[in-house]
Amino acid sequence: MPFKNPHPLYSCWKSMKSRCNNPNNPHYHNYGGRGISVCDEWISDFHQFISDMGDRPNNYTLDRKDNDGNYTPDNCRWATRSEQQLNRRMSRFVTIDGVEYRPFDLAKIAGVKTDTIIARVEKGLSYNQVISTEKFYDTTGLALGGKANGAKNKAKTHCPRGHEYSKENTYIYKGNRTCRACRRK
């Protein structure tokens, strides 16, 4: 029967090394295949890994701060699953006034959806506008104020069939202008 190390971090250490050094590991392409390696101090010395990382808190896993960096004492930490989900190559970043932010973080600050943050950044809004709880309405391209205030419909002079919206030919039904001539037909 093979020797099993009783230390709780042993399997974590072995998995880290395998992801970086074993082309047969199913995750190798995301680690060793991308050039991610384990530092010399850890590759052969499990006790040094334990000494540098310390005890793992419950429900935390090994995470690299810089997702493109190697497994080193300066680049590794214990992180929750949600923290790790935010630290992925696929994570999107937005730039506001030359500073990069994760939309997820800004959405938490603002209390709005991540998509809202991205849309606001794409419109070129300032940082304070991006994280504002105030709603912003884009009225560009809408004639006379657009549908939002009914100005476009109020500006029409004739009904869809061509009858003039005169005082005699128009009445209001459920808040909308209605053509009397069309109603009679």
Side-chain angles (χ1 to χ4, degrees):
M1 185 170 211
F3 169 75
K4 184 175 178 183
N5 190 317
H7 197 284
L9 294 181
Y10 186 76
S11 64
C12 174
W13 177 71
K14 291 288 281 185
S15 295
M16 169 189 67
K17 291 186 349 171
S18 179
R19 287 190 300 268
C20 293
N21 299 322
N22 181 358
N24 295 324
N25 183 297
H27 303 289
Y28 176 81
H29 68 281
N30 287 320
Y31 295 88
R34 286 197 314 123
I36 307 298
S37 63
V38 179
C39 69
D40 293 339
E41 298 86 24
W42 289 358
I43 197 74
S44 59
D45 191 346
F46 171 62
H47 296 289
Q48 186 63 50
F49 172 73
I50 295 170
S51 173
D52 289 338
M53 289 303 299
D55 292 332
R56 174 175 52 189
N58 285 342
N59 299 320
Y60 279 62
T61 58
L62 185 62
D63 183 42
R64 287 171 293 119
K65 297 172 193 172
D66 173 5
N67 206 352
D68 293 321
N70 295 325
Y71 283 97
T72 65
D74 292 338
N75 193 39
C76 288
R77 65 180 177 172
W78 297 117
T80 63
R81 291 271 180 208
S82 59
E83 288 171 329
Q84 282 199 348
Q85 288 296 316
L86 295 174
N87 188 24
R88 299 171 64 184
R89 283 183 289 155
M90 293 178 278
S91 292
R92 178 156 186 194
F93 289 87
V94 294
T95 304
I96 305 169
D97 298 328
V99 179
E100 262 194 358
Y101 300 94
R102 286 191 299 226
F104 177 82
D105 295 334
L106 296 177
K108 282 176 71 174
I109 292 168
V112 298
K113 293 180 180 179
T114 303
D115 291 344
T116 301
I117 296 295
I118 293 169
R120 289 177 177 180
V121 170
E122 287 173 351
K123 288 179 185 174
L125 300 180
S126 70
Y127 176 83
N128 287 336
Q129 290 173 315
V130 168
I131 64 165
S132 173
T133 56
E134 180 183 335
K135 288 186 178 184
F136 292 94
Y137 297 99
D138 183 8
T139 58
T140 57
L142 297 177
L144 302 171
K147 290 182 181 179
N149 62 12
K152 187 175 181 181
N153 283 333
K154 289 176 189 171
K156 291 180 180 176
T157 58
H158 291 75
C159 78
R161 292 187 178 159
H163 302 115
E164 185 181 2
Y165 280 133
S166 65
K167 189 174 185 178
E168 300 79 31
N169 189 38
T170 308
Y171 68 97
I172 306 298
Y173 178 72
K174 294 187 177 181
N176 297 313
R177 261 188 323 181
T178 305
C179 173
R180 291 184 192 274
C182 290
R183 174 81 181 202
R184 281 186 228 124
K185 291 183 179 185

